[in-house]
Amino acid sequence: AVTVGTTVPAIMTLTSATEGRQIFAASGGIKYLSRQLRQRDKKQSTVSSSSGSERKANSSVQQLYELAFCLWCLTYELNNFADVRADFAKDGLPVMALVELVSSAPREKVVRVALAALRNLATCSADIHPEPDMPRIDSKVFLGEMIACGLMKAIGLLRDRQFTDPDIVDDVDMLHKLLADNFKE
């Protein structure tokens, strides 16, 4: 069996280019990454560092980062492809996986890419490439999912933390504003 550890670096290379992202997304990649993230995140929370598994925990943090990084790369296709938006909206799985990552906040670098992906979802538009014969999927859909998954609470907690990365602070503030505005609606 091929392990996630060996496939994720290849997926990272694939998702670094637009054509690769399109092919990967069309092959069910968004669902695959989301499922892997949720499984890893659950394992991560059950790994206790008292049993000398610090190195294992670090390697799984790295895998969480790489999986989240790939999903984040794919969010750059949201405005250009209706089917990518549809895949991100399927079962609410991608948003749930990203919100769980932000909530569990394993490491700053993981939080950074998860927040960046959520921000892209929260600001995407269906104007350039609307869905043919489908309900409109855009930022409003994803913001609704984020609220349902409890992102507002997680963002509230993140606002109290001191981050060294200004991008995280910016994403936290932007998501807080977008979620609050959407929640009022």
Side-chain angles (χ1 to χ4, degrees), residues 79-180:
N79 294 339
N80 301 324
F81 299 97
D83 51 346
V84 171
R85 284 194 305 279
D87 282 350
F88 267 102
K90 262 187 204 130
D91 316 322
L93 198 65
V95 168
M96 194 182 306
L98 290 164
V99 170
E100 285 172 358
L101 263 188
V102 169
S103 302
S104 66
R107 293 277 198 295
E108 193 166 302
K109 68 179 187 175
V110 179
V111 173
R112 188 187 60 200
V113 288
L115 282 172
L118 287 166
R119 180 180 180 156
N120 287 348
L121 286 162
T123 55
C124 75
S125 161
D127 294 341
I128 305 163
H129 296 278
E131 286 75 5
D133 316 320
M134 283 164 51
R136 182 180 171 91
I137 297 170
D138 61 10
S139 58
K140 288 214 180 324
V141 170
F142 296 117
L143 283 163
E145 287 181 7
M146 290 174 204
I147 289 168
C149 290
L151 185 60
M152 287 181 84
K153 181 182 176 206
I155 289 289
L157 295 170
L158 288 177
R159 290 184 89 192
D160 297 336
R161 281 180 54 183
Q162 296 300 307
F163 289 105
T164 52
D165 188 332
D167 289 346
I168 292 182
V169 177
D170 191 40
D171 286 346
V172 166
D173 290 344
M174 169 66 93
L175 281 165
H176 181 265
K177 183 188 180 324
L178 292 167
L179 287 164

